[in-house]
Amino acid sequence: MFQADVQYMKAALVEAQKAFLIDEVPIGAVVVHNGDIIGRGHNLREHLNDGVAHAEIMAIEEACGALNSWRLVDCDLYVTIEPCLMCSGAIINSRIDNVCFGARDPKAGAVKSLYTVLEDSRLNHRVNVIEGLLSDQCSQIMKAFFRAARQKRKNISGNSK
Amino acid sequence: MFQADVQYMKAALVEAQKAFLIDEVPIGAVVVHNGDIIGRGHNLREHLNDGVAHAEIMAIEEACGALNSWRLVDCDLYVTIEPCLMCSGAIINSRIDNVCFGARDPKAGAVKSLYTVLEDSRLNHRVNVIEGLLSDQCSQIMKAFFRAARQKRKNISGNSK
């Protein structure tokens, strides 16, 4: 039985913080294998000009490199915000066993909010899901980011008057 | 109104053929912008040891590089086989306008078969979909691949007796 470990979500939050500091939507993820973090990622969509460059994808690809395999058997993924459709699909395609996410994404979440694709028995892989670990910190950093972005826009429109 | 053009599906089939020749599941994709192919991709999961390396993802990332933007506005994607959840999510995240696929994937397709995520009004982007262009060629190459793979397995088990 999967026991989510708070230390790994803290590592995912460190990744989210890295995104925050470079003005990316602050989501972070890590992939854990036998207790070791073998993949880390944070959202880099703007910096890489790449709509695929979500935190989970970056962490999964690093983990695939570490194991030299596309099958991330015996791996768990920790991510600060509920994965979207793309990242949920990548989790299934990579055969990740367990996913732990912090806070829900009611607008795009595909694990609990809009869809529950990780539990779909029609697909060739199913994933155990735990939600809510450090959810306050995971959502607070998102709120702080969007608050700052709104303030920035307000300042710009104020200056242009 | 999106008019699917057979020349682009032929280009996607050329990509699928490249995958076939290196023993990858033969799926190919291209991204078209103002009549030009700006991204090409074929499945490279085994060669890159990367579960994310589907044809659509490769084509989308090349197109993002060509436009220097994660928003693939005014872009169409042609792919030989119905996109999975991951690739459908990537299409939405990249804001692709139109998708044309050849043959359905009843086991993992997320555009028409298991899900219809590209038409989901709850998401922040919707995509026009056309299916069935050169569907026979698109499915034939898949059938040939899996037939050859079964034969190869049979030969191996025959030799080991």
Side-chain angles (χ1 to χ4, degrees):
Chain A
M1 184 56 200
F2 175 50
Q3 290 275 345
D5 187 327
V6 73
Q7 68 167 308
Y8 301 122
M9 189 58 89
K10 283 183 182 168
L13 273 164
V14 168
E15 290 298 311
Q17 186 68 26
K18 289 181 192 169
F20 186 94
L21 292 173
I22 57 171
D23 279 333
E24 296 272 5
V25 174
I27 300 174
V30 298
V31 173
V32 179
H33 179 249
N34 292 339
D36 293 325
I37 294 176
I38 60 165
R40 295 171 200 265
H42 53 276
N43 177 32
L44 282 171
R45 184 177 68 172
E46 305 291 342
H47 278 68
L48 297 183
N49 270 324
D50 181 355
V52 178
H54 282 194
E56 299 94 317
I57 300 285
M58 311 303 283
I60 285 171
E61 291 198 310
E62 192 169 284
C64 286
L67 294 187
N68 207 27
S69 171
W70 62 263
R71 290 180 192 85
L72 297 182
V73 178
D74 296 330
C75 284
D76 310 324
L77 183 135
Y78 289 74
V79 56
T80 56
I81 299 293
E82 182 184 1
C84 71
L85 276 169
M86 174 181 76
C87 293
S88 299
I91 288 162
I92 293 166
N93 291 352
S94 307
R95 312 288 192 263
I96 286 174
D97 288 325
N98 303 295
V99 164
C100 176
F101 71 84
R104 289 198 183 194
D105 177 355
K107 289 186 180 167
V111 178
K112 293 287 179 185
S113 296
L114 300 184
Y115 293 92
T116 55
V117 302
L118 298 188
E119 300 158 54
D120 187 341
S121 60
R122 299 170 303 171
L123 298 169
N124 65 353
H125 182 71
R126 269 166 304 290
V127 183
N128 299 312
V129 176
I130 288 179
E131 68 169 310
L133 197 64
L134 302 182
S135 62
D136 281 354
Q137 286 106 304
C138 292
S139 58
Q140 279 308 321
I141 190 172
M142 292 286 275
K143 284 178 189 156
F145 175 83
F146 288 111
R147 200 163 44 232
R150 278 194 300 275
Q151 191 58 46
K152 213 177 276 180
R153 278 200 299 275
K154 216 182 270 181
N155 292 348
I156 290 169
S157 78
N159 288 341
S160 67
K161 275 176 189 164
Chain B
M1 183 56 201
F2 175 50
Q3 290 275 345
D5 188 327
V6 73
Q7 69 166 307
Y8 301 123
M9 189 58 89
K10 283 182 181 169
L13 273 164
V14 168
E15 290 298 311
Q17 187 67 26
K18 289 181 194 170
F20 186 94
L21 292 172
I22 57 171
D23 278 334
E24 295 272 5
V25 175
I27 301 174
V30 297
V31 173
V32 179
H33 179 248
N34 293 338
D36 295 325
I37 294 176
I38 60 166
R40 294 171 201 265
H42 53 276
N43 178 32
L44 283 171
R45 184 177 67 173
E46 305 291 341
H47 278 68
L48 297 183
N49 270 325
D50 180 355
V52 178
H54 282 194
E56 300 94 316
I57 300 286
M58 310 304 281
I60 285 171
E61 292 198 309
E62 191 169 284
C64 287
L67 295 186
N68 208 26
S69 170
W70 62 263
R71 288 180 192 86
L72 296 182
V73 178
D74 297 330
C75 284
D76 310 325
L77 183 135
Y78 289 74
V79 57
T80 56
I81 300 293
E82 182 184 2
C84 71
L85 276 169
M86 175 182 75
C87 293
S88 300
I91 288 163
I92 293 165
N93 291 353
S94 307
R95 312 288 191 264
I96 287 175
D97 287 324
N98 304 295
V99 163
C100 176
F101 71 85
R104 288 197 184 195
D105 178 355
K107 289 187 180 166
V111 178
K112 293 286 179 186
S113 297
L114 300 185
Y115 294 92
T116 55
V117 302
L118 299 188
E119 299 158 55
D120 186 341
S121 61
R122 299 170 303 172
L123 298 171
N124 65 353
H125 183 69
R126 269 166 305 289
V127 183
N128 300 312
V129 177
I130 288 179
E131 67 168 311
L133 198 63
L134 302 183
S135 62
D136 281 353
Q137 286 105 306
C138 293
S139 58
Q140 279 309 321
I141 190 171
M142 292 286 276
K143 283 177 189 158
F145 175 82
F146 287 112
R147 199 164 44 232
R150 278 194 301 273
Q151 191 57 49
K152 211 177 279 179
R153 277 199 300 273
K154 215 181 273 181
N155 292 347
I156 290 169
S157 78
N159 290 340
S160 67
K161 274 176 191 163

